[in-house]
Amino acid sequence: MLILECPYCGVKADETELHPGGEAHLKRFGPESSDEEFEAYLFERKNRKGVHFERWRHVYGCGKWFHAARATDTLEVFGTYSAQTNAPPDDLIKKIKQKRPDFGGYE
Amino acid sequence: MSDPVCALNNAVFDGLVRLEETGPRGMVTLRGDLGAAAVLKSVQKAVKDATGLPVPAVRRIVLQKEYGAGWMSPDELLLMMPYDEAGRAVKAADKALKAVHSLVVNVSDARSVFRLSGAAAPEVLAKLAPVDFTAMAPDEIRRSRLAQVPAAFWRVGDDTYDVVAFRSVSSYVFELLKTAAAPGSGVGFY
Ligand SMILES: [Zn+2]
């Protein structure tokens, strides 16, 4: 069972109180983009084994979207952070690197 | 004017705890960015004028007699008052919030309220919601789910909890609570 702490209300929410939103920090390619860019935006995902950044929504709670960093292989949660950002915060990256020396950083 | 009637006609059940549908209750949703200082100032006045209460802290609820103010999200509060005062409360809050981006709606008839009384109340709720009641503060309002529907609950006194859910799922919620409170079904976890 996955438990994520909502950064807006502080509830340690059980997975069943949350709604998954897929990979975090996707850049949208819209009407002016090429077919390849649009296809990549829609379908291409990192699907990492290991450190992964995701979007979640506290749907049975405050209703807000937020971000979470976790390991897909062990389910270890490194932290959660605000939705109002385009990349994971530096202190979280640092924390993950300490725990997982093989983690090369967010790209 | 016809009299307001709550969804289950004030149903009562006695089991591990006493269950009562306690409505109708006045409820007003107030939306506005509580993190913006300028908005918060107006919200403080709105909540005061509508209920006489201060703005609750994050995930807290302030209760006094028949009035209440609960923190629902970074931009939403739940205000409670006697049913027939909801219209006046909306007008008062609207007036205080005139200058800021906000929304005030009377949702009294969209909700149902249930009261659980008895020492087993946390246990009955914990059968239905993924919530650790030992970690819940005495003045905390917890939004979660009861089985498959959204609900919010808080403590109103020793061994007494109030639960609010959408009116459209009133009978579902009451049946759930009845099942969780069935005589002989105690777990003794808390
Ligand atoms: Zn939340």
Side-chain angles (χ1 to χ4, degrees):
Chain A
M1 184 64 78
L2 194 58
I3 293 175
L4 300 175
E5 184 172 327
C6 172
Y8 294 97
C9 66
V11 160
K12 287 184 174 58
D14 167 300
E15 191 176 340
T16 63
E17 296 180 277
L18 304 168
H19 182 81
E23 189 178 305
H25 310 305
L26 296 179
K27 183 176 185 298
R28 183 170 189 272
F29 287 91
E32 304 302 318
S33 62
S34 69
D35 286 355
E36 289 71 25
E37 283 169 334
F38 190 58
E39 184 197 15
Y41 161 65
L42 282 184
F43 300 113
E44 285 177 20
R45 296 294 179 266
K46 291 172 182 156
N47 204 22
R48 290 245 162 82
K49 179 184 175 187
V51 179
H52 195 51
F53 299 87
E54 293 173 327
R55 300 170 74 225
W56 287 85
R57 183 173 174 240
H58 192 189
V59 63
Y60 284 111
C62 70
K64 299 299 174 195
W65 282 98
F66 62 92
H67 286 122
R70 67 178 181 109
T72 54
D73 48 358
T74 62
L75 290 191
E76 178 179 5
V77 176
F78 302 110
T80 55
Y81 53 100
S82 154
Q84 282 73 39
T85 176
N86 294 320
D90 293 340
D91 55 338
L92 181 62
I93 296 289
K94 221 166 111 186
K95 187 177 153 194
I96 300 171
K97 279 182 175 167
Q98 272 164 6
K99 289 187 162 183
R100 296 250 173 158
D102 56 323
F103 172 61
Y106 176 75
E107 39 27 273
Chain B
M1 263 294 271
S2 48
D3 291 333
V5 176
C6 50
L8 306 178
N9 239 326
N10 296 103
V12 177
F13 174 84
D14 281 301
L16 290 182
V17 295
R18 184 174 176 82
L19 302 174
E20 297 161 278
E21 192 197 13
T22 64
R25 186 179 297 186
M27 284 197 201
V28 170
T29 284
L30 188 160
R31 300 213 62 159
D33 185 358
L34 304 171
V39 179
L40 181 62
K41 230 181 142 202
S42 299
V43 170
Q44 281 163 338
K45 182 159 175 24
V47 176
K48 182 117 200 134
D49 292 351
T51 64
L53 298 170
V55 172
V58 174
R59 249 168 66 220
R60 291 295 183 268
I61 185 164
V62 197
L63 298 166
Q64 198 169 62
K65 290 185 182 145
E66 289 177 274
Y67 298 88
W71 190 95
M72 299 292 272
S73 90
D75 53 8
E76 180 177 345
L77 298 175
L78 170 67
L79 308 180
M80 291 183 290
M81 67 287 304
Y83 182 86
D84 53 12
E85 285 182 25
R88 186 202 59 81
V90 168
K91 276 201 192 96
D94 253 340
K95 201 175 160 202
L97 290 163
K98 207 169 229 158
V100 297
H101 183 60
S102 60
L103 178 83
V104 183
V105 181
N106 181 352
V107 293
S108 308
D109 297 320
R111 305 274 172 83
S112 284
V113 193
F114 302 95
R115 177 158 293 178
L116 287 73
S117 334
E123 178 171 306
V124 169
L125 286 172
K127 287 185 190 179
L128 303 167
V131 172
D132 178 5
F133 281 79
T134 58
M136 203 168 138
D139 59 343
E140 181 169 343
I141 177 169
R142 181 64 150 84
R143 296 181 76 180
S144 183
R145 61 182 178 86
L146 291 181
Q148 299 186 42
V149 296
F153 37 84
W154 59 90
R155 199 150 89 179
V156 287
D158 286 344
D159 302 333
T160 310
Y161 285 78
D162 272 2
V163 173
V164 53
F166 290 116
R167 184 180 174 115
S168 55
V169 293
S170 302
S171 49
Y172 174 81
V173 169
F174 199 68
E175 290 302 318
L176 279 180
L177 291 168
K178 270 162 69 176
T179 307
S185 72
V187 181
F189 184 72
Y190 291 117

